[in-house]
Amino acid sequence: MDTGVVSLKENNEMTENGQSSKPLKMRCRDVSVFYAEKQALFDVDLDINQKQVTALIGPSGCGKSTFLRCLNRMNDTIDICRVEGSIHLDDMDVYDPDIDVVELRARVGMVFQKPNPFPKSIFENVAYGPKIHGLVSGKRDLEEVVVTSLKKAGLFEEVKDRLHEPGTGLSGGQQQRLCIARAIAVSPEVILMDEPCSALDPIATARVEELIDELRENYTIVIVTHSMQQAARVSQRTAMFHLGVLVEVDDTDTIFTNPSDEKTQAYITGRYG
Amino acid sequence: MTSYLLICLIGVVFIAFWAGRTKAVKLAGSELAALHSRPDYHGLYTVILTAFPALLLIPVWNFFASRIIEGALKREFADHVNGLGLPQLQAFLRDVNAIVDGGIASNRDEVHVLAAQYLSKLNGTSDWLLTSFVLLLMAAGFFHAYRQISVQNRSRHVVEKTIRWIVLVCSVVAIFTTIGIVLSLIFESVRFFGKVPLLDFLFGLHWSPQSAFEGAGAEALADDNSKIFGAIPLFLGTFLVTIIAMAVAGPIGLMAAIYLSDYASSRFRAIAKPLLEILAGIPTVVYGFFAALTVAPAIRGWGESFGLSVSSESALAAGLVMGIMIIPFVSSLSDDVINAVPQSLRDGSAGLGATKSETIRKVVLPAALPGIVAAMMLAISRAIGETMIVFMAAGTAANLTINPLEAVTTVTVQIVTLLVGDQEFDSAKTLAAFALGLVLFFITLVLNIIALRVVQKYREQYD
């Protein structure tokens, strides 16, 4: 089974702008987003490094979720939404009209704010992606992918006896990990997470955060979060958005200890947001 | 008389409301909040105590008075009445009533005129008694209520309780009507099955009730009767037409719903959905002549160009047009349930790289299945119950066939043909209509139960 993620060039360190020691995975330049006439994002330049967790923070309505949804063209589903600028995944131009969105989304998976397991069994939920992309041949192959994905999402032990029960019967935290397993099953290179813990209790949140930390070894992760602590705990780099503008991006340690922008400072210390 | 009373009652209601309310406001003075109930409740309280006893009295009085008066009339004219059989007695009473009301009486001899005079006297007495009782009750109720109104009076509770009773009575009316209809079906069917054995009816292959032999010598021919009331051809015809209709309405309706909910722009949807629902507003008679005059000849023309023999009234024509008719039932309900599937599921599927049609087939439709099944069942019930289109386009010949190009007939159409025209009401022919109705009722009931089960089963799994 090709997970597409076991890179041999683990230690291929590359320094860019003196900020990072990881190679580049996604490159965004001058990204602007419009909803009909209203501009929601203004010329965002952001690099996302491989096998790191990048956190997008900022007050509500600052455009961080909009930006996240640009990365796998989920905004396409909104009729009035228009995206300008360029986003590259490795060498692939994400907004090239010729590229196949299906292939893009297979490479850039997504986990949503509210756990949204399909009304199918746990097994079928995870098998969904591999089936539609034809990643597996035969039943045993499929079972292997499902089990591996559930294991990677840290859910297998809890559900191994009831794989054929509905995924909607799980607890909220388990559902969210099921959604992560579902995303992993397609062997994406990048996983986008839109406030994955906002609907979960603290214990389930801790479990998912732990999982994110483990997944970092094999996947590039971009996470939108409202929780400063969460950004500090799980991410290596943090990007601060405000009113559709990328205010500041830096190593998480730097952002939280020595932010260069006043607004970041104010937001992190809880003075507004 | 009663109608004047009712008009009077309406006037009294307004006065009572105003009086009760005014008194409550006056009592409260500047401290409206001190009232236990709002002033409007005191007004309604007065209305309830004034009008309700009177309203109850009127129907009860009319029910008993008419019987008592009839009894008195029979006693007064015992000499004339005693020799009469039941039909003659009924004719006598009918004529007397007709003379009183100024209608057409077949017999105006002396006895009848005298009886009419006596009857109108009794009626007049009854009306005056009723009027005075009603007025008394209203006055008593009003003054009692008016005296009761005080700052602490719990008018709100009385009003709430009354409302509770009103809604209870309404729901009971609906339930009892249903029970009554079912019981009448059952009783008449039992009479029918006294003439024609149940098994012969349910499994008989031959239906030609027009040749049923009635009157003298019917006993000797009872065996023949049981052979011409075989309902299988009707149910087969119903089944055939319903299948054709659902084969049209099911896929088209469902796919139209999918287009409307997931593909169409909101502007198109806003125009197309009401337009589609207009289809449901076209009277079935209009569909009927569309089927009989346009579709059936067209099908016949096509069929003959292929060398098939098509009768000018065919199950196919009726089924196709009925299918068109029930498209909006399927599409409108399915559209609602498909829309109710959360956007997050669609996003989740799209986020995994599924295309739109994959998402719809594998996520949206399974999630919406219970509602879609319910919509289909409703459409099937509608198709089974539909009469006019089949009557006009499929004919009335009870052929035992599953060939959609031949004329068939359905249960509902036969019920109509059995009951129209001059019939004795207790002949096997008319009673057969009740038996057919009963069986049809059972079939739709079973279908509904199956639909409910399906919905419940999947709901457990999906919610």
Side-chain angles (χ1 to χ4, degrees):
Chain A
M1 189 192 90
D2 172 28
T3 60
V5 289
V6 188
S7 170
L8 297 172
K9 295 179 277 178
E10 190 80 348
N11 296 317
N12 177 12
E13 304 207 339
M14 181 180 99
T15 308
E16 181 173 313
N17 304 336
Q19 288 175 340
S20 173
S21 55
K22 289 276 190 178
L24 201 59
K25 186 68 188 173
M26 295 191 86
R27 211 174 80 112
C28 311
R29 290 291 175 269
D30 296 325
V31 177
S32 296
V33 177
F34 302 83
Y35 291 112
E37 296 305 308
K38 192 176 165 291
Q39 190 165 2
L41 272 185
F42 298 85
D43 302 320
V44 172
D45 293 341
L46 183 64
D47 294 331
I48 289 155
N49 296 328
Q50 200 162 32
K51 295 184 185 170
Q52 261 193 354
V53 179
T54 305
L56 311 181
I57 62 170
S60 297
C62 67
K64 55 194 187 305
S65 287
T66 299
F67 177 74
L68 189 79
R69 292 167 69 94
C70 289
L71 297 179
N72 69 343
R73 291 181 57 171
M74 280 300 282
N75 286 332
D76 288 11
T77 57
I78 302 166
D79 288 337
I80 55 165
C81 182
R82 186 161 53 86
V83 180
E84 285 176 4
S86 76
I87 298 175
H88 283 83
L89 171 66
D90 293 334
D91 293 328
M92 180 169 94
D93 181 358
V94 169
Y95 278 89
D96 183 340
D98 293 335
I99 75 134
D100 187 358
V101 182
V102 168
E103 189 203 336
L104 168 71
R105 291 188 187 147
R107 290 177 66 185
V108 183
M110 190 155 193
V111 175
F112 295 84
Q113 187 167 357
K114 217 175 134 245
N116 57 349
F118 301 135
K120 298 170 183 290
S121 70
I122 294 170
F123 185 91
E124 285 298 323
N125 259 286
V126 184
Y128 184 82
K131 271 187 185 166
I132 57 172
H133 291 295
L135 297 179
V136 286
S137 52
K139 213 177 157 194
R140 290 195 47 191
D141 216 5
L142 183 65
E143 268 168 25
E144 196 184 316
V145 174
V146 170
V147 170
T148 319
S149 308
L150 282 170
K151 277 182 179 158
K152 280 188 191 161
L155 189 62
F156 185 68
E157 287 305 314
E158 293 160 57
V159 300
K160 63 182 172 192
D161 300 325
R162 45 175 173 152
L163 285 178
H164 295 285
E165 283 172 32
T168 43
L170 298 173
S171 74
Q174 288 173 327
Q175 284 188 11
Q176 195 59 300
R177 277 181 280 145
L178 177 61
C179 293
I180 293 173
R182 189 173 73 182
I184 294 172
V186 193
S187 307
E189 295 154 43
V190 182
I191 303 176
L192 310 177
M193 299 185 174
D194 191 353
E195 298 181 39
C197 300
S198 65
L200 306 183
D201 66 49
I203 293 170
T205 300
R207 187 73 194 78
V208 171
E209 283 179 4
E210 228 171 85
L211 173 61
I212 293 171
D213 211 41
E214 288 162 19
L215 292 175
R216 172 164 62 96
E217 272 183 37
N218 295 319
Y219 304 92
T220 304
I221 294 173
V222 185
I223 178 171
V224 166
T225 177
H226 264 133
S227 154
M228 294 307 103
Q229 291 84 348
Q230 186 170 68
R233 279 194 299 264
V234 301
S235 73
Q236 285 73 52
R237 272 168 70 80
T238 298
M240 163 75 190
F241 284 76
H242 183 246
L243 296 177
V245 177
L246 176 63
V247 176
E248 185 175 2
V249 53
D250 213 326
D251 289 341
T252 299
D253 292 342
T254 317
I255 289 264
F256 279 87
T257 52
N258 189 20
S260 53
D261 193 283
E262 249 174 68
K263 285 192 208 104
T264 317
Q265 168 108 42
Y267 182 66
I268 286 166
T269 52
R271 263 186 284 139
Y272 80 96
Chain B
M1 202 65 210
T2 313
S3 52
Y4 289 125
L5 263 184
L6 285 175
I7 292 168
C8 167
L9 205 64
I10 292 172
V12 170
V13 159
F14 282 104
I15 296 169
F17 181 80
W18 174 80
R21 195 182 187 287
T22 313
K23 183 178 177 192
V25 172
K26 209 183 283 170
L27 281 175
S30 59
E31 284 217 53
L32 262 183
L35 282 172
H36 168 268
S37 311
R38 298 295 85 220
D40 283 355
Y41 280 109
H42 289 287
L44 287 173
Y45 173 76
T46 323
V47 168
I48 288 167
L49 262 58
T50 309
F52 273 55
L55 268 181
L56 280 179
L57 179 69
I58 293 174
V60 173
W61 182 281
N62 282 338
F63 180 80
F64 286 108
S66 61
R67 271 156 190 72
I68 292 168
I69 289 173
E70 200 182 293
L73 190 69
K74 279 185 206 159
R75 249 177 285 122
E76 186 71 21
F77 292 86
D79 303 342
H80 179 74
V81 165
N82 278 346
L84 300 178
L86 184 67
Q88 287 87 348
L89 179 64
Q90 281 172 347
F92 173 70
L93 292 173
R94 209 163 40 234
D95 283 343
V96 172
N97 272 308
I99 294 172
V100 171
D101 299 336
I104 297 164
S106 58
N107 197 336
R108 284 179 177 274
D109 64 17
E110 202 182 344
V111 185
H112 279 80
V113 174
L114 277 175
Q117 281 166 356
Y118 184 67
L119 180 65
S120 86
K121 201 178 82 192
L122 287 182
N123 276 346
T125 319
S126 156
D127 280 347
W128 278 114
L129 276 174
L130 174 63
T131 310
S132 26
F133 273 129
V134 164
L135 290 176
L136 256 171
L137 260 180
M138 285 201 289
F142 176 76
F143 285 114
H144 176 69
Y146 195 74
R147 231 188 32 215
Q148 286 279 309
I149 290 176
S150 66
V151 175
Q152 303 90 17
N153 190 41
R154 306 190 149 212
S155 303
R156 176 158 41 85
H157 297 226
V158 176
V159 172
E160 287 298 319
K161 256 183 218 152
T162 313
I163 288 172
R164 210 190 119 152
W165 275 102
I166 292 173
V167 292
L168 178 73
V169 166
C170 288
S171 61
V172 166
V173 165
I175 292 168
F176 275 93
T177 312
T178 315
I179 293 176
I181 289 172
V182 173
L183 284 184
S184 91
L185 276 181
I186 289 176
F187 285 135
E188 303 296 339
S189 302
V190 166
R191 284 174 69 190
F192 173 72
F193 292 130
K195 292 173 191 274
V196 176
L198 176 64
L199 290 182
D200 285 347
F201 172 71
L202 285 182
F203 300 108
L205 300 179
H206 181 63
W207 177 265
S208 58
Q210 307 306 333
S211 55
F213 190 83
E214 295 289 342
E219 304 300 317
L221 291 162
D223 279 356
D224 286 352
N225 269 1
S226 68
K227 283 188 194 112
I228 55 171
F229 284 107
I232 290 282
L234 307 189
F235 285 101
L236 199 64
T238 305
F239 184 68
L240 183 62
V241 174
T242 305
I243 293 266
I244 295 170
M246 286 312 292
V248 174
I252 295 182
L254 186 57
M255 288 185 210
I258 291 170
Y259 179 76
L260 283 181
S261 64
D262 277 70
Y263 288 92
S265 70
S266 54
R267 240 184 51 216
F268 180 82
R269 186 185 145 85
I271 298 168
K273 206 178 174 194
L275 275 181
L276 204 59
E277 278 161 8
I278 286 178
L279 272 183
I282 299 176
T284 54
V285 181
V286 176
Y287 280 110
F289 61 68
F290 175 60
L293 301 181
T294 312
V295 178
I299 289 174
R300 192 171 176 200
W302 285 331
E304 275 167 1
S305 67
F306 288 112
L308 296 168
S309 85
V310 183
S311 65
S312 56
E313 292 174 322
S314 65
L316 189 60
L320 286 178
V321 174
M322 198 195 287
I324 304 285
M325 183 194 83
I326 52 183
I327 283 174
F329 286 84
V330 179
S331 71
S332 193
L333 284 169
S334 304
D335 178 51
D336 289 343
V337 291
I338 290 173
N339 257 324
V341 173
Q343 182 63 30
S344 69
L345 287 184
R346 293 185 173 86
D347 284 349
S349 178
L352 288 169
T355 63
K356 204 158 190 167
S357 76
E358 280 170 338
T359 302
I360 288 164
R361 268 186 293 124
K362 296 186 175 165
V363 176
V364 177
L365 288 186
L369 192 66
I372 292 172
V373 169
M376 294 291 177
M377 287 295 169
L378 192 74
I380 291 176
S381 300
R382 182 71 213 246
I384 290 177
E386 174 51 39
T387 313
M388 214 55 218
I389 295 176
V390 194
F391 190 62
M392 293 169 87
T396 53
N399 294 326
L400 184 66
T401 177
I402 52 164
N403 179 359
L405 301 178
E406 277 186 51
V408 296
T409 190
T410 65
V411 177
T412 50
V413 167
Q414 284 308 311
I415 291 178
V416 173
T417 51
L418 286 174
L419 289 181
V420 292
D422 256 350
Q423 319 272 357
E424 268 185 70
F425 198 69
D426 52 358
S427 68
K429 216 165 113 187
T430 26
L431 290 175
F434 288 94
L436 286 176
L438 185 69
V439 178
L440 200 60
F441 172 76
F442 265 110
I443 291 175
T444 29
L445 187 71
V446 168
L447 275 179
N448 282 340
I449 291 172
I450 293 173
L452 262 175
R453 279 285 151 82
V454 170
V455 170
Q456 272 170 357
K457 181 167 176 274
Y458 282 92
R459 190 154 288 163
E460 274 167 15
Q461 200 168 332
Y462 288 144
D463 271 359

